[in-house]
Amino acid sequence: MSETTGAKPANRYYASEETLVDYAMVKAHLAVSVIFLLVAILAGFLYSLQFTNSYPFKGISWLSPGRVRMLHTNAIAYAWLVMAFFGLLHYMLPKLTGQRVLSPVISRFVLWAWVAIVAGTVVGILGGTAQALEWGETPAWLDPIIVVVYLIMAANFIAPVIKSRQKHLYVSTWYIVAALVWTGLNYVMGNFMVEYVAPGTGGAALTSMFIHNLVGLFVTPIGIASMYYLLPLVLNKPIYSHSLSLIGFWGLAFFYPLNSTHHYIFSPIPMWAQYAGIVASVGVHVVVYTVVYNFWMTMRGENAQLGRNIPYGWIMAGTFFYLVTCIQCAFHVTLTFQEIIHFTDWVVAHAHMVLFGTFTFWSIAWVYYLIPKVWHRRLYSRTLAQWHFWLSFLGLLLMFVSLTAAGLVQGYMWKSMAPFIDSVRASVPFWLTRTLTGTAIVIAQLLFLYNLYRTFKGPEVLTDEVHIPLDCSEPANWQPVITGPAAAARPVPAV
């Protein structure tokens, strides 16, 4: 493996003076994140049993379905995805900038501090001290601690960008830096302004911004940044268009912060704000189509990779789900659709497609990609990996179809003024399908965990490292670079 020399000398956190990446932190974050993923999926599965009248913890207040649901949603966002993203940033940013993160000590502090925050959130939610703010249910006493830890983490990751002094930055760096800044502002707005400064309908509007921007200004930019980095490596070819990638970035920055009030259509929030949310939501499609088109054109002619390249399948499926969920969004932000789907399971289907179908699929692609690169192991079983993919893919797809159909049935029955209990009875088959498809997803993640366990128990093997070139002084250099013997075996195509 070869890397450009960082400014700092070697120490016990790095293998040599030339090593840029703190590989121990990449491994630790991703290992913890996979455990969090399993906890989050199991909590969601448990919650689904409530709808089939088979919930196993009836009468136990701290395991009541409402609290388990909050555990499910918070574990996906703050435990699984945040921890995975922290691990990926430890890998990507040093290679993108040619500089190490600010301090390996800070990296270790943030890792354990975030694990403690997740544990405190679990105790707080199950103990009944959650706040009444969706995705902001963390106990109030944890909010200042989260802000402090987040600021320390952001400084650790932004430092290499500042130190690099590169004339041009690859688009992944743009997305990452913006996400780190936006998320700090968004978290403070959602968890302090609403509670202490802006109550009432104004607070409701800010709440909608907090919820939506958590996805749109943190999960989305980090997820897209990671794919702009990983896709060229997996296919050993440059991204199709850097111009399109920057159009998508600025589209996200301009439209996404304004579209959140589409969650509160027909609410007491002023109609001008609701109309603005609808217009901005349509504008976000500039982002979606540039990203998806850019990915698909990069994938063009690479169908043969599907059978032999495990990360590529997850990337392609995640990109497909990203397009589907955003097309769905274009419809359900309109007043016409909101008359039907508001408060129904349509919204639940949408949320699962976004956070599991897109960003979880992309993050899993990273884990499979890094097994030989970071852990220096051969995957224990490709068959188990294929079962993991197909059970996850088909399970989510059928769950999405079932919940979307349930939402339409519920919405039309409510609009026709049918008794509410009739809509509940009509929803039972769809909810049963949700639990069955959820079972497939749970089994898939257990196979994933077992495959990883057997892989890490296996012997180490030497592999070639592949990375984005550290010389980002000119856009022409932004193409994958293979080091080691594989470089001669498979030349990198020209930009």
Side-chain angles (χ1 to χ4, degrees), residues 256-443:
Y256 213 102
L258 304 174
N259 72 8
S260 55
T261 48
H262 70 222
H263 283 275
Y264 291 93
I265 289 175
F266 296 125
S267 73
I269 293 175
M271 281 308 296
W272 67 264
Q274 298 180 39
Y275 290 140
I278 294 171
V279 172
S281 300
V282 175
V284 165
H285 283 253
V286 173
V287 181
V288 176
Y289 298 136
T290 56
V291 171
V292 172
Y293 184 74
N294 218 357
F295 288 178
W296 278 358
M297 290 304 290
T298 306
M299 297 176 191
R300 185 176 55 175
E302 301 291 345
N303 291 339
Q305 298 270 0
L306 278 174
R308 61 174 185 268
N309 192 327
I310 293 173
Y312 183 60
W314 290 92
I315 295 171
M316 178 173 273
T319 305
F320 167 71
F321 286 142
Y322 184 54
L323 179 63
V324 170
T325 191
C326 291
I327 291 175
Q328 183 196 33
C329 180
F331 289 102
H332 73 210
V333 297
T334 63
L335 295 172
T336 304
F337 265 70
Q338 283 291 324
E339 287 183 1
I340 304 299
I341 60 96
H342 204 75
F343 291 131
T344 72
D345 280 338
W346 171 292
V347 183
V348 182
H350 179 69
H352 280 77
M353 185 67 89
V354 173
L355 290 177
F356 188 75
T358 301
F359 298 106
T360 294
F361 270 48
W362 284 349
S363 299
I364 289 174
W366 263 104
V367 174
Y368 278 117
Y369 172 78
L370 289 177
I371 286 173
K373 309 297 179 188
V374 172
W375 278 276
H376 304 292
R377 300 286 200 283
R378 286 195 176 91
L379 187 65
Y380 168 70
S381 171
R382 292 182 61 87
T383 302
L384 285 177
Q386 289 169 348
W387 275 98
H388 177 212
F389 174 80
W390 286 110
L391 285 174
S392 298
F393 179 83
L394 294 176
L396 176 68
L397 187 62
L398 294 175
M399 179 186 290
F400 174 78
V401 172
S402 172
L403 289 176
T404 301
L408 293 174
V409 170
Q410 293 159 358
Y412 277 108
M413 292 186 72
W414 295 345
K415 190 175 183 182
S416 68
M417 303 300 289
F420 181 76
I421 192 62
D422 288 351
S423 70
V424 173
R425 295 192 182 98
S427 301
V428 169
F430 301 107
W431 290 337
L432 180 60
T433 304
R434 188 250 299 270
T435 298
L436 292 175
T437 54
T439 303
I441 292 174
V442 169
I443 292 172

Side-chain angles (χ1 to χ4, degrees), residues 104-309:
V105 176
I106 291 179
S107 297
R108 281 148 182 82
F109 166 76
V110 170
L111 168 66
W112 290 111
W114 204 262
V115 170
I117 287 170
V118 170
T121 302
V122 172
V123 172
I125 288 176
L126 296 184
T129 60
Q131 298 184 79
L133 173 65
E134 186 171 8
W135 270 357
E137 293 96 343
T138 48
W141 60 270
L142 264 178
D143 288 339
I145 299 174
I146 292 173
V147 171
V148 171
V149 173
Y150 182 85
L151 291 175
I152 294 172
M153 178 277 299
N156 201 32
F157 287 136
I158 291 176
V161 181
I162 296 174
K163 288 189 296 184
S164 69
R165 300 184 181 278
Q166 291 170 342
K167 185 178 179 181
H168 302 284
L169 295 175
Y170 186 61
V171 67
S172 294
T173 313
W174 287 58
Y175 274 111
I176 291 168
V177 172
L180 293 174
V181 174
W182 289 333
T183 303
L185 298 173
N186 187 48
Y187 194 86
V188 170
M189 178 192 70
N191 287 273
F192 294 95
M193 287 187 64
V194 174
E195 187 170 357
Y196 302 110
V197 180
T201 54
L206 293 177
T207 298
S208 72
M209 291 182 70
F210 165 69
I211 298 169
H212 210 73
N213 290 346
L214 185 65
V215 177
L217 298 184
F218 178 70
V219 176
T220 298
I222 298 287
I224 291 175
S226 72
M227 286 302 103
Y228 271 124
Y229 190 103
L230 181 61
L231 187 58
L233 301 185
V234 167
L235 296 179
N236 190 22
K237 62 195 292 190
I239 203 73
Y240 172 70
S241 169
H242 293 291
S243 299
L244 272 181
S245 69
L246 293 180
I247 291 172
F249 170 81
W250 287 111
L252 182 81
F254 183 77
F255 288 115
Y256 213 102
L258 304 174
N259 72 8
S260 55
T261 48
H262 70 222
H263 283 275
Y264 291 93
I265 289 175
F266 296 125
S267 73
I269 293 175
M271 281 308 296
W272 67 264
Q274 298 180 39
Y275 290 140
I278 294 171
V279 172
S281 300
V282 175
V284 165
H285 283 253
V286 173
V287 181
V288 176
Y289 298 136
T290 56
V291 171
V292 172
Y293 184 74
N294 218 357
F295 288 178
W296 278 358
M297 290 304 290
T298 306
M299 297 176 191
R300 185 176 55 175
E302 301 291 345
N303 291 339
Q305 298 270 0
L306 278 174
R308 61 174 185 268
N309 192 327

